[in-house]
Amino acid sequence: MKITEIEAIPFAIPYKKPLKFASGEVHTAEHVLVRVHTDDGLTGIAEAPPRPFTYGETQESIVAVISKVFAPQLTGLAPTAREAVHHRLNRTVGNPTAKSAVDMALWDIIGQSVGLPVTELLGGFTDRMRVSHMVGFAPPEQMVDEARRIRDTYGITTFKVKVGRRPFRLDVEACRALREGLGDEAELYIDGNRGWTASESARALRAMEGLDLTLAEELCPADDVMGRRWLVARTGIPFVADESATRPGEVTRELLGGSATAISIKTARTGFTYSQRVHHLCEGLGVEAVMGNQIDGQIGTLCTAVFGSAYELTARRAGELSNFLDMSDDLLAEPLRIEDGTLRVREGAGLGIALDPDKLARYRQDT
């Protein structure tokens, strides 16, 4: 079995409302659908979500690098030759979500070829994940109303609260309101997207004492090396490296350097192959891992659930699997469903992705 073609199809689907956080905001899911074809007639599918304010990629750059660089390099290789594939992909620096989409589409093909779900190929720990929902910037009462609606509609009881505004008291008040509005049963953790300085982060955490927060993610920039280490050493809850730990080497550096005590794994930027390596590092070093979300659509969300449910470590915590609820539509023929606070992976070989051709035709941007 050989790779014969790789498609990179830009598409755009509006969000129901803008998603706002410290590093930027998004109004439309301008993503790229990646399809890898083989001479056996199998097709692997994945999704690349560009985040220029985090990784520097745009929709146009992802389409260009896949079409003009990666496709010519990979055509003729076997989908199972993952090391050879990544050796060729890594000749080009950067472009993490483009590389990851190609990787996950290849795993989809491998699963189809042997008749097994990808989550079983990866580890097969369980067939579902608990779901965490992201609450973005808004007045406190609106944030509470959203969290209650999500809890009452989908059974979700874990919430990731976006912070990083100035003055930091805005976010302290929001977190207090969420704790009061949701009660002690809800799990709350915060993500600053590098919005504060180390000293602001320390003051915010002190002001949030008593709210029973379970994680603090990227409150200040990792490039503020000494400040970040100073903060993490004084933080009483796991401090999560996310966008500062996008590759196995960065994960090792951040953990051993004292700049983080937990890691966010995002299949959108490390695919399945490199997410495995990050997972194994976390397991070997004895640190917690959480499955993050790149504001993925349903295809990307399914990939996150597939990986997270494959391992005991990543299945312990709720995964960030609900951002697709903010999209006005999607490309799957059978939409994902969150029930009783959990999301199940698809049965069947590969990733179990079936596209709605009419929706793809409606939202693609290259025709």
Side-chain angles (χ1 to χ4, degrees):
M1 181 169 57
K2 304 294 182 184
I3 298 168
T4 57
E5 182 186 5
I6 302 178
E7 293 182 279
I9 303 170
F11 67 93
I13 299 176
Y15 286 101
K16 297 175 184 176
K17 61 180 178 62
L19 304 181
K20 301 180 180 181
F21 33 91
S23 59
E25 63 181 70
V26 293
H27 297 256
T28 302
E30 296 178 330
H31 295 181
V32 179
L33 177 71
V34 175
R35 293 196 291 201
V36 179
H37 302 273
T38 70
D39 57 359
D40 278 8
L42 300 179
T43 300
I45 296 173
E47 174 185 23
R51 295 293 170 256
F53 42 76
T54 304
Y55 307 118
E57 292 173 287
T58 65
Q59 188 182 61
E60 292 81 4
S61 76
I62 291 173
V63 171
V65 78
I66 290 177
S67 302
K68 298 181 179 180
V69 180
F70 296 160
Q73 291 178 343
L74 302 183
T75 298
L77 285 180
T80 51
R82 294 194 307 278
E83 287 295 303
V85 166
H86 281 281
H87 174 72
R88 298 189 183 188
L89 292 177
N90 289 336
R91 294 172 181 168
T92 303
V93 300
N95 297 280
T97 62
K99 293 175 181 177
S100 297
V102 172
D103 175 79
M104 291 186 288
L106 292 176
W107 276 88
D108 187 18
I109 291 170
I110 294 168
Q112 294 176 50
S113 69
V114 297
L116 290 173
V118 171
T119 193
E120 288 191 25
L121 296 179
L122 291 167
F125 178 70
T126 183
D127 65 350
R128 69 197 69 197
M129 286 197 76
R130 290 187 298 116
V131 177
S132 169
H133 181 72
M134 184 187 83
V135 183
F137 292 162
E141 61 275 10
Q142 293 182 22
M143 296 171 72
V144 173
D145 287 344
E146 177 187 352
R148 284 175 170 166
R149 176 180 61 82
I150 293 295
R151 179 194 61 188
D152 296 343
T153 304
Y154 301 101
I156 295 171
T157 57
T158 301
F159 297 91
K160 174 177 182 172
V161 187
K162 289 294 187 179
V163 299
R165 291 178 289 184
R166 290 188 173 96
F168 68 84
R169 294 284 176 185
L170 292 171
D171 293 322
V172 174
E173 293 172 4
C175 289
R176 285 178 179 164
L178 285 163
R179 175 55 71 203
E180 292 172 2
L182 296 172
D184 295 337
E185 297 78 15
E187 177 183 347
L188 300 179
Y189 62 103
I190 57 176
D191 175 13
N193 292 112
R194 315 175 307 282
W196 290 326
T197 64
S199 60
E200 287 174 322
S201 302
R203 292 177 65 195
L205 287 172
R206 282 197 300 271
M208 293 180 189
E209 288 179 359
L211 297 183
D212 193 26
L213 301 178
T214 58
L215 300 169
E217 180 179 311
E218 296 285 5
L219 299 185
C220 64
D223 285 348
D224 297 341
V225 179
M226 298 306 296
R228 174 80 163 246
R229 292 178 182 175
W230 173 86
L231 174 65
V232 172
R234 287 158 178 78
T235 301
I237 56 178
F239 194 99
V240 181
D242 178 9
E243 52 263 44
S244 63
T246 62
R247 302 187 302 274
E250 292 177 338
V251 170
T252 304
R253 181 193 66 202
E254 295 302 294
L255 291 173
L256 297 187
S259 296
T261 52
I263 297 296
S264 175
I265 299 175
K266 291 183 176 177
T267 55
R269 68 167 176 239
T270 42
F272 294 143
T273 299
Y274 277 87
S275 291
Q276 271 190 320
R277 299 176 187 184
V278 172
H279 166 272
H280 297 342
L281 272 172
C282 293
E283 188 176 51
L285 293 170
V287 301
E288 292 192 73
V290 61
M291 292 306 300
N293 192 291
Q294 204 60 41
I295 319 181
D296 300 308
Q298 293 191 29
I299 296 172
T301 298
L302 180 59
C303 289
T304 302
V306 162
F307 186 89
S309 62
Y311 301 102
E312 181 182 5
L313 176 64
T314 46
R316 288 175 191 165
R317 286 192 170 275
E320 297 165 10
L321 304 170
S322 67
N323 283 151
F324 73 88
L325 296 175
D326 289 316
M327 291 176 62
S328 60
D329 204 349
D330 216 291
L331 301 183
L332 291 186
E334 180 185 351
L336 298 182
R337 291 184 297 176
I338 299 173
E339 299 175 329
D340 298 324
T342 64
L343 179 67
R344 295 187 61 174
V345 299
R346 295 285 168 89
E347 297 180 353
L351 294 172
I353 294 173
L355 299 177
D356 183 320
D358 293 333
K359 290 185 177 182
L360 177 58
R362 183 185 315 157
Y363 296 116
R364 65 186 300 167
Q365 302 292 292
D366 58 347
T367 57

